[in-house]
Amino acid sequence: MQLPTLAEIESAQKIVYSAMPPTPQYTWPLLNQRLGTEAWVKHENHSPVGAFKLRGALLYVRSLKETKPGLETVVAATRGNHGQGVGMAARLMGLRAVIVVPFGNSKEKNLAMRAQGVELIEHGEDFQESLEYARQLAHDPSHSGTHAFVESIHPKLVLGTATYALEFLRGTPSLSTVYVPIGMGSSICGVSAARNALGLDTEIVGVVAAASPSHSVSFRERRVVEVPSATQIADGLACRLPNPEAMEVIWQNVSRVVEVSDAEIASAMRAVYADTHNIAEGAAAAAVAGAFKEKHLLNGKPIGIILTGGNVDRDLYTRVLKEAL
């Protein structure tokens, strides 16, 4: 995958800003005390869909509409945030959105997608099965009208995440390290693109759920490895089969990939609430948990943390706050 240039990211920002403003980045004194260093948090949980995914969806769906005459429907698979982004982008552009989710998906994310006008289909025991089914739906010749599939990792999605990364890296002091959660890989690829475009030497560290370690295993073995996902708290990180193109970018640009347990993610969710009064979903809190795990390596140098989203079901979040997990 060829990463976007600085000019391409800046051009993409203009499109993104037609639907949402830049998200803030703050440093929080209590969180800094907990980490023993100055930490800057990029608040993608403040986007109109509560997560970073809208950015790439706006670029991707717009591109599909421009290149596919008569396009009526976009199809995607998701655990929630990608589907919300695609749903909102489709609605803004006058298109229909069909989103496939696995059985047992987040009830509140499902409600949020339907509120965007999405037609929601439940299929598959995990995200990978939903993804394969969504591809079949998009390419089924029996459908009337023109359909297009919105991949979960694609250059347009990477370009979208690069727009927040450019905001972040330009709007904060020189950061020694940035901690980025890895779901399908668009965020860490976008952060890599912005870091490279600005010519910075900031270290990029990926964070995964220990119960969904496909990216950490693939990173270590330098080959794409399929590993079952079993995380109960970070559905956004529940990837069984990494994308080969994303892995190439990760191998070339990421210093290391840290694994954090579900218990460490839950602890980070509580810390984010206590120290910043923001809600972090499990996938987003994983980046915070990664910084906690590497506290001994920070040496007082300023770091960045990507808080990718805040979409967590109330029941699960209540259990986290009560330390009932």
Side-chain angles (χ1 to χ4, degrees):
M1 181 188 300
Q2 184 173 350
L3 294 179
T5 65
L6 181 60
E8 288 170 333
I9 301 170
E10 290 175 331
S11 178
Q13 284 183 322
K14 297 174 184 177
I15 297 171
V16 170
Y17 297 158
S18 68
M20 62 172 284
T23 56
Q25 47 253 354
Y26 299 130
T27 184
W28 300 90
L30 288 172
L31 189 61
N32 293 345
Q33 288 179 15
R34 199 185 292 263
L35 283 164
T37 196
E38 181 180 82
W40 286 83
V41 180
K42 182 57 170 170
H43 283 284
E44 285 298 284
N45 58 313
H46 289 193
S47 91
V49 298
F52 73 97
K53 291 286 191 176
L54 175 60
R55 295 172 181 264
L58 288 165
L59 301 173
Y60 198 166
V61 174
R62 175 186 170 121
S63 174
L64 288 172
K65 187 171 183 180
E66 291 175 345
T67 56
K68 291 184 176 293
L71 179 65
E72 296 177 3
T73 304
V74 289
V75 183
T78 189
R79 290 303 302 263
N81 290 339
H82 179 54
Q84 288 184 68
V86 170
M88 181 172 173
R91 177 173 57 80
L92 291 176
M93 297 177 202
L95 299 173
R96 172 173 169 258
V98 176
I99 306 295
V100 183
V101 300
F103 294 115
N105 197 54
S106 160
K107 294 178 181 178
E108 292 177 26
K109 287 181 181 179
N110 288 355
L111 286 172
M113 284 184 277
R114 289 190 173 105
Q116 295 287 357
V118 162
E119 178 185 333
L120 201 71
I121 297 173
E122 293 183 278
H123 182 92
E125 297 304 319
D126 65 5
F127 171 74
Q128 192 64 32
E129 290 187 8
S130 299
L131 181 66
E132 292 163 4
Y133 183 68
R135 285 200 182 107
Q136 293 174 21
L137 286 179
H139 298 108
D140 186 343
S142 67
H143 285 313
S144 61
T146 304
H147 288 58
F149 183 66
V150 184
E151 295 281 355
S152 299
I153 179 73
H154 183 275
K156 290 294 183 184
L157 300 180
V158 171
L159 181 58
T161 64
T163 65
Y164 83 59
L166 188 62
E167 293 168 10
F168 190 41
L169 294 174
R170 277 181 165 169
T172 55
S174 179
L175 302 174
S176 64
T177 307
V178 176
Y179 290 89
V180 189
I182 308 176
M184 287 300 292
S186 63
S187 265
I188 203 160
C189 292
V191 172
S192 298
R195 189 271 310 269
N196 296 353
L198 292 172
L200 302 175
D201 58 5
T202 302
E203 188 176 49
I204 299 172
V205 176
V207 187
V208 300
S212 297
S214 60
H215 284 95
S216 56
V217 174
S218 299
F219 183 82
R220 184 170 61 248
E221 297 195 14
R222 299 290 295 186
R223 64 186 180 92
V224 175
V225 181
E226 183 173 352
V227 184
S229 172
T231 178
Q232 299 299 306
I233 195 170
D235 57 358
L237 305 185
C239 175
R240 169 160 54 95
L241 182 63
N243 177 275
E245 288 187 293
M247 282 309 309
E248 287 292 343
V249 174
I250 292 169
W251 286 323
Q252 293 169 19
N253 293 279
V254 174
S255 297
R256 57 192 175 277
V257 177
V258 178
E259 294 182 5
V260 291
S261 68
D262 279 10
E264 289 171 322
I265 293 171
S267 179
M269 292 169 74
R270 291 190 291 271
V272 169
Y273 181 77
D275 295 353
T276 78
H277 282 175
N278 276 266
I279 295 175
E281 62 185 273
V288 182
F292 287 157
K293 194 156 194 172
E294 294 203 338
K295 181 178 177 179
H296 63 289
L297 299 177
L298 303 182
N299 297 319
K301 297 177 181 178
I303 66 166
I305 296 170
I306 308 299
L307 200 70
T308 49
N311 296 325
V312 55
D313 281 5
R314 180 175 57 182
D315 290 347
L316 174 60
Y317 195 59
T318 300
R319 291 166 59 205
V320 168
L321 293 182
K322 291 181 176 179
E323 302 185 41
L325 285 176

